[in-house]
Amino acid sequence: MRERLNRRQVLQRLAAASAGLMLPANARASDLSPRLAGMDDIEVQISSISEHTFRLSVLPVRSGQTSSIPSNGSLVQNSWDAPITKLRGEATAQAIALGSLRLQVSADPLAFTVTTPNGDTIQKLTWDKDTGAVAFVSGNAPLLGLGEGGPQFDRRGSTDPMISGQGGYKLATHGGRVPIPWIIGTSGWAILFNQPFGTFDFTGSQGRFLPSRPDAALPLDIFVILVRDPATIMAEYSRLTGHPEMPPLWSLGYQQSHRTLASREEVLEEAAMFRAKKLPCDALIYLGTGFCPSGWNTENGSFAWNSRVFPDPKEMLEELHRKHFRVALHAVILTDKLRGTASDPCELSQFDEQEAGCYWDAHRKNIAMGVDAWWPDEGDPLDIASRLVRNRMYWEGPQIDRPNERPYALHRNGYAGMQRYASFLWSGDVYSTWETLKTQVPIGINTSLTGIPYWGTDIGGFVPTKEFTAELYLRWFQFGSFCALFRSHGRAWKLRLPWGWSTGDPGPVEINNYGGAAIPDPNQLHNTQVEPICRKYLELRYRLLPYLYSAVRECSATGMPVMRALWLHYPDDARAVACGDEYLFGRDLLVAPVVEKAATTRQVYLPRGNWYDFWTGELVEGGREISREITLEIMPLYVRGGSILPLGPVKQYTAETVDQPLSISIYPGSDVSRLLYEDDGISFDHRKGNWMGIQMAWNDARRSLALDLAPGSRMLPPVRRNLVIALGPSMRTVTFEGNPIKVSF
C-alpha cells in the first residue's frame, strides 16, 4: 500500500482487474444532443465519472432552463466532467459506447440498457415519468448495502421505506436505521441514488426505487457502477462519497460507557479498578442527565457539569488523564435543523442554535477543560444535510482548539459521506436478546459495505431483558472485540464492567420506558467466569492493534472496510457471497461470532484455500463448512493460509510503551505481501509523510520473509525495532532499522 497521496495508483491497480467502462474521450456535448420523443420538459444527461462508473441525471426543464442537482453534502464534489451526452425532445433511440460495453437509451418509457459485446444485458434502468419510479435489474445474486439496519442480510425480498432513526425498523433486534441508498448487486454492479430519496422494493422480479413523493421525483440523479471486482466497487463508492479519515489510535481500544453515577469517588474508583486489575481500557464515556437520573451534566442538552458527581471537573479530568484514560461526554441536539460549519463565526447578538458555529461554541469550554471526545446522541428528526453538518461539526470543531489532534465522536445518525469525518456509529437502543446479537452481525457487514467502517453495538444490548445472562454478555463481548467500535454500554450498567458480573450489583435499576425490560436473575450476578474471559479478549484486541491499525489505514486509502463481507474476497464463491453470519476482520482473520444460547459447536463456512485455527494452529482445508467445537471462552477465529499476522504486546492503553518485541506470525500457503502501518496515532502528521511502513513479503516456495521500509515512509522512534518472526514453532529474532532484511526458515 502506498501513502495516501498516491491513492490514484492504488485505484488504478484495482481497476486493472476488470474491463474498462470509459465513455468516449473525444465525445462532445454538441455532437451528442439528440431529442427524445415526448420529453420536452426534461433533459437527460450522461456523464463519465471513471472507467467503471457513469452518472445518469434526469433534470426538469423550466422556461427553457435546465434545473441543477441540489447538494446534501454527501458527495465529495457536486460535479465531475461536463456531461458528454444531453438528450431532450424528439429523437430515435441512441447508443453510446462504454469502453467494451454499450449503453442503449430509448424513450417511452425512458430506459437505459447496458449490454456486453455479446448482447447480454448487465443492467437496465427504466424511469416511469408518471410516478418517478426507477426499475432496475436485480438479478439472482444477493443484494447488499443500504446502510445500517433494516431487513437483513440479503436485501432481496424486502421493501424498505428508508426511514432514518430508531423508529425505522424493529428497534429491539435491528437497532437504529441509517439508510443510505447504495445497493450492491454481488453479480457485478452497484447503484447510488443521489436524488431523490425514497423507498426500495425488492419483492418483485426487478428492483424498484420509488421517490418519497411523485412531485419530488425530479431531479433524478444516480451513479451506476459496472464492474465485477468487489474492491473496485468499494473504491468507486469512495470516489463518490469520500475516503474514511484516520481516527485516533486510542479510539480502537476498549471504551467503557457509564450511566447513572453515584459520586465523585465512584467515578475515580472505577477508573482505578481498570488499572489495578490490569484490564486494558482507553476511554471512559459518561451519559448525560435526563437520559439517566445522574449523569455528567445538569440536564439534557446542557454543557454545565453535575456538581454532585463532578464537583471539580477539571481536576477529575486531570486525574483520569494521569491514569491514561480519554474522556468522552454525551450530548444531544435540541433543534431539528443544523447548517453551516463549526468555524462559522457566531454573532452573540444574533445567536442561532441552528448555526453550527453557535452550537459548537457551547462545547469549547469543556474542550479547554480537558474533554477529549463526544458522543452525539439523538438527532433522528434531522434531515440528510443537517445530519452531515453535525457529523462534520464534530470533526472540524475540535480542530479549532486542537488543530493537530484527530477528533473522536460516536454518532447515532449520519448518511453517505460521514466517513469523511471519521464518524463512529453505533446501532442504537437494542435489546439484550440472542436474536438481537444474531442480527447485529449482518447489520455490521452491510453498514461496512456502505462506507461506514467505524461501527459497533452496545455490548450486551442496551435494554436488559430476562435473556440477559453472563453467557449472552460474554458472547456479545467476544463479537464486540472484533468490531471497529469496541464499547460496552446499557442499562444495568454495572454489568457492562468486565468485573460487574461477580459483584452481585447490577447497578441502578433503570428498566422503565421499555417494554420487556428486566433485571437479570440474581443467580447470574455472582459469575466468576466473566472477568477472565473478558480479559482474554481485551488483551487479544490490544495485541491485534498493529494488524487492526494497518487495516484501518488500508480502508482510508482504498475504501475497503475493516469488517468485510466474504463477498469482498470470494465473489466467485456463491456460498461465501451469501454468508451473513461471519466476516473477515481485515484481510486475513475470519470471525464466526457465537450467537446461539448454550452452543457447544459452531458451524463455520471456510472459503477455498487453507485456514489455520487461531487458537490451536490446526490447518483446515477450506471450500466447505466445518463444525468447530467451542467452550464459553472460545469464539471461532481462523487465519487465512498465505497471510502475515502482526501481534503486539499486551497493553493497558494504546499509547503505553511496553518493552517487548512485535511478533510477526506467518501462516504459509501462498506468496503474500502486507504493509505494517504505524504513525503517532494522534496527529495529522501522517498526511505530511510522517509515518512508518514495514513492507512484509513472504515467499512461500523459498520459505523466506523480506522486510523493507515502505516507499514514502520513514523510521519512527525507536529507530531500532525488535521483531520475533514465527513460522509455526520456528522463531527468528531480528532487529529492523529501516534497511532491507530477509529471514529464512
Side-chain angles (χ1 to χ4, degrees), residues 226-463:
L226 300 170
V227 61
R228 289 194 58 83
D229 178 41
T232 305
I233 288 178
M234 299 307 299
E236 292 297 283
Y237 182 79
S238 293
R239 181 195 298 273
L240 299 174
T241 65
H243 285 74
E245 276 284 358
M246 292 282 290
L249 177 61
W250 67 260
S251 66
L252 301 173
Y254 178 63
Q255 302 178 35
Q256 181 64 61
S257 187
H258 306 72
R259 287 186 59 82
T260 294
L261 304 169
S263 64
R264 179 187 197 274
E265 290 70 29
E266 180 185 66
V267 172
L268 297 179
E269 287 172 6
E270 185 255 312
M273 188 71 76
F274 270 100
R275 298 298 180 235
K277 287 178 170 289
K278 293 190 178 301
L279 292 164
C281 181
D282 263 87
L284 303 176
I285 308 175
Y286 298 104
L287 189 67
T289 301
F291 273 62
C292 64
S294 179
W296 77 269
N297 57 3
T298 56
E299 60 181 338
N300 244 357
S302 171
F303 291 90
W305 293 81
N306 176 2
S307 61
R308 290 195 302 108
V309 292
F310 284 94
D312 50 350
K314 187 175 187 299
E315 289 74 13
M316 292 178 69
L317 289 170
E318 290 173 351
E319 174 63 21
L320 294 172
H321 287 159
R322 282 193 290 271
K323 288 183 169 60
H324 304 283
F325 290 104
R326 303 282 178 166
V327 176
L329 300 182
H330 175 267
V332 299
I333 188 167
L334 302 180
T335 178
D336 61 358
K337 292 282 187 180
L338 197 61
R339 56 183 176 270
T341 66
S343 59
D344 291 337
C346 180
E347 297 293 337
L348 294 181
S349 61
Q350 300 178 8
F351 180 85
D352 185 349
E353 63 181 4
Q354 292 189 356
E355 290 289 344
C358 293
Y359 182 49
W360 182 252
D361 279 355
H363 298 68
R364 295 181 65 187
K365 62 181 180 180
N366 288 324
I367 291 177
M369 197 179 293
V371 171
D372 301 285
W374 296 91
W375 173 13
D377 198 356
E378 293 201 316
D380 288 2
L382 295 172
D383 60 22
I384 291 171
S386 296
R387 281 178 244 157
L388 288 174
V389 167
R390 195 183 191 206
N391 278 251
R392 179 179 179 180
M393 181 186 73
Y394 278 98
W395 175 251
E396 295 180 347
Q399 295 181 56
I400 295 173
D401 298 294
R402 301 175 187 175
N404 199 28
E405 184 175 321
R406 292 177 233 168
Y408 169 82
L410 173 59
H411 291 268
R412 190 169 96 180
N413 285 286
Y415 195 68
M418 63 186 291
Q419 70 273 12
R420 301 200 300 271
Y421 313 118
S423 296
F424 278 67
L425 178 71
W426 97 99
S427 62
D429 296 351
V430 297
Y431 276 53
S432 302
T433 70
W434 287 97
E435 182 63 25
T436 303
L437 173 58
K438 181 180 180 179
T439 304
Q440 292 300 297
V441 178
I443 285 174
I445 297 172
N446 267 328
T447 303
S448 297
L449 287 172
T450 318
I452 305 171
Y454 312 131
W455 177 90
T457 69
D458 287 346
I459 290 177
F462 175 73
V463 181

